[in-house]
Amino acid sequence: MDLIIGAGISGLSYAAATNNDYLIIEQSDEIGGYCKTIRRGDYIWDYSGHFFHFQRPDIKDYVLKEIPMEEMLKVFKYTQIYYKGRYVDYPFQMNIHQLPQEEFIDCLYDLFAIEDNPAIDSFKSMIYAKFGKSIAEKFLIPYNEKLYATDLNKLDVDAMGRFFPYANKEEIIKNFRSTEKKFYNSFFLYPKNGCGRIVESIASRVNKDKICLNEQLIGIDLEKKEAVTNRRTLKFDNLISTLPFPKLLDLAKVDYNKETYSWNKVLVFNLGFDKKGNDTQNNWVYFPDKELVFYRVGYYDNIIGQDKMSLYVEIGFNHNETAIDTEALLQRTLDDLQKVGVVTDQQLVDHHSVVMDPAYVHITTASEEDKKVKMQQLGEHNVYSIGRYGAWKYCSLEDNIFDAQQLAQQTR
């Protein structure tokens, strides 16, 4: 039997793809993991913004097969950066010509002053080496420090993989006159009723009698191939875990240096107001200013097409942070939203919050090396770790589905 830990996108995708007998255990009282939708009153909120930038036609067809196309929205991405009281198109490095003249000249000068073959040994040094001092320090470094809640020198050069919007000098200059959006996610698909609809599509292929809710894994015996839950002991042939990788190592009693793995937490506020705001275009906006509590604000109303402002607001914390005062942070969030003009005379009607822990994993040279060794060690006992947190990587929901399907092929 294949024992699947977690009924999120990855666990459900594996179950839907395998020919083996399986059982899914899920510690929550519902499926979906972080890909859940709250539908309350006039508002549709996800746990956070989950948008689908399909790169593989077969995965797109697979996911959308069970969803009528009239339920899906194709949205051409419109995102900006709030920088010193003005809006600049995203990505910053492609739109430095929208800055005040002096700052534009600083960015352009530093871009061409980059030394040949600079030393690159971290995410932070990569940013300086690719874009120069001004672009780095005006947006890329302060924004990513707010997002990751850590020293960017600790992160691997390729910490964001294909999701980082690289651009060379020629592309940046060409964009001064002819704005082009050729990035991996220039448009996205989104269900009108929230990302939970994607979960429902995948789950429709899974035997619901094989999903055990409110059951939590509390230990693994690798030699005996047994998993202990809060209810029972289960034998397995293969164990497929979507737990955060360090958590899996703990439960399997695999020795490792706990300092090797780190991550951020994200407090997400979903906010519903009584009427529309002034911004009727942006899907989401980035906020690098460290005086503002949030790093990103998203507009569900602009994406779905609603007549009342509906926001998701994200605040990053290091994983060691324990004192998260949600009530105080909600008030500060509302104050900061007024400060930047997102909220003017709108009244808050309803709100919801969730702490995502982990949210973004910190990919470092040490974690990548250790992960490779530990995954091989676990694999010798037919224990496999998949998903954003299981595989400890920066990836998309589409990647999670693909990886789960690939593993299901290997374990037949």
Side-chain angles (χ1 to χ4, degrees), residues 373-384:
V373 172
K374 298 299 190 294
M375 282 197 168
Q376 182 176 349
Q377 183 179 341
L378 291 168
E380 292 169 358
H381 299 276
N382 295 79
V383 174
Y384 307 97

Side-chain angles (χ1 to χ4, degrees), residues 146-249:
K146 285 181 76 175
L147 167 63
Y148 283 106
T150 194
D151 179 357
L152 300 184
N153 275 320
K154 296 180 179 179
L155 300 186
D156 187 72
V157 171
D158 200 32
M160 292 181 66
R162 75 177 192 274
F163 300 93
F164 188 87
Y166 291 100
N168 59 37
K169 296 183 184 72
E170 291 74 18
E171 290 171 326
I172 291 171
I173 292 171
K174 184 179 179 182
N175 205 56
F176 293 172
R177 286 184 178 248
S178 177
T179 299
E180 295 184 12
K181 295 186 177 181
K182 294 183 178 179
F183 302 103
Y184 83 98
N185 59 351
S186 58
F187 72 89
F188 59 86
L189 297 178
Y190 185 73
K192 292 178 181 178
N193 290 310
C195 74
R197 192 68 183 85
I198 301 293
V199 173
E200 293 169 6
S201 170
I202 296 172
S204 69
R205 300 170 171 91
V206 176
N207 184 341
K208 292 177 176 54
D209 293 335
K210 302 276 188 177
I211 303 175
C212 302
L213 301 177
N214 298 305
E215 185 164 3
Q216 182 176 0
L217 182 69
I218 58 177
I220 304 169
D221 188 319
L222 294 175
E223 298 301 326
K224 293 181 179 180
K225 288 192 175 181
E226 290 182 346
V228 180
T229 78
N230 58 330
R231 295 181 182 176
R232 53 187 162 167
T233 298
L234 294 162
K235 297 284 288 186
F236 62 83
D237 297 305
N238 298 299
L239 186 146
I240 292 82
S241 172
T242 65
L243 295 171
F245 191 62
K247 179 68 172 176
L248 175 63
L249 297 178

Side-chain angles (χ1 to χ4, degrees), residues 336-390:
D336 283 356
L337 288 171
Q338 285 194 318
K339 191 181 299 182
V340 298
V342 171
V343 173
T344 52
D345 61 343
Q346 295 82 10
Q347 298 298 311
L348 185 67
V349 173
D350 197 3
H351 68 277
H352 161 270
S353 67
V354 61
V355 175
M356 301 173 69
D357 180 17
Y360 292 91
V361 304
H362 294 163
I363 297 173
T364 68
T365 300
S367 71
E368 287 293 278
E369 292 175 352
D370 191 70
K371 180 181 72 173
K372 183 177 179 180
V373 172
K374 298 299 190 294
M375 282 197 168
Q376 182 176 349
Q377 183 179 341
L378 291 168
E380 292 169 358
H381 299 276
N382 295 79
V383 174
Y384 307 97
S385 195
I386 60 173
R388 171 178 278 204
Y389 306 112

Side-chain angles (χ1 to χ4, degrees), residues 248-410:
L248 175 63
L249 297 178
D250 289 337
L251 294 175
K253 299 181 177 62
V254 174
D255 185 45
Y256 71 102
N257 181 352
K258 294 188 186 298
E259 299 300 315
T260 300
Y261 297 93
S262 64
W263 57 94
N264 80 342
K265 302 177 183 180
V266 171
L267 169 61
V268 181
F269 285 118
N270 289 311
L271 307 175
F273 295 86
D274 63 345
K275 58 183 175 181
K276 197 79 171 173
N278 291 327
D279 191 334
T280 59
Q281 287 188 296
N282 273 302
N283 306 135
W284 55 86
V285 177
Y286 303 90
F287 292 86
D289 186 346
K290 292 188 177 181
E291 297 302 309
L292 301 171
V293 68
F294 40 76
Y295 64 83
R296 181 166 55 187
V297 174
Y299 291 83
Y300 283 121
D301 54 311
N302 291 345
I303 293 167
I304 299 173
Q306 295 173 302
D307 60 2
K308 294 181 181 179
M309 188 163 65
S310 179
L311 307 177
Y312 67 89
V313 181
E314 297 171 321
I315 305 170
F317 299 90
N318 188 274
H319 75 283
N320 290 317
E321 180 66 53
T322 57
I324 298 178
D325 186 337
T326 303
E327 187 174 337
L329 285 166
L330 174 60
Q331 187 56 56
R332 184 175 172 193
T333 294
L334 293 171
D335 291 343
D336 283 356
L337 288 171
Q338 285 194 318
K339 191 181 299 182
V340 298
V342 171
V343 173
T344 52
D345 61 343
Q346 295 82 10
Q347 298 298 311
L348 185 67
V349 173
D350 197 3
H351 68 277
H352 161 270
S353 67
V354 61
V355 175
M356 301 173 69
D357 180 17
Y360 292 91
V361 304
H362 294 163
I363 297 173
T364 68
T365 300
S367 71
E368 287 293 278
E369 292 175 352
D370 191 70
K371 180 181 72 173
K372 183 177 179 180
V373 172
K374 298 299 190 294
M375 282 197 168
Q376 182 176 349
Q377 183 179 341
L378 291 168
E380 292 169 358
H381 299 276
N382 295 79
V383 174
Y384 307 97
S385 195
I386 60 173
R388 171 178 278 204
Y389 306 112
W392 208 251
K393 64 180 182 178
Y394 195 117
C395 62
S396 69
L397 292 170
E398 179 188 19
D399 295 330
N400 293 334
I401 297 167
F402 177 80
D403 291 346
Q405 292 177 343
Q406 292 296 107
L407 180 60
Q409 293 286 333
Q410 296 170 27

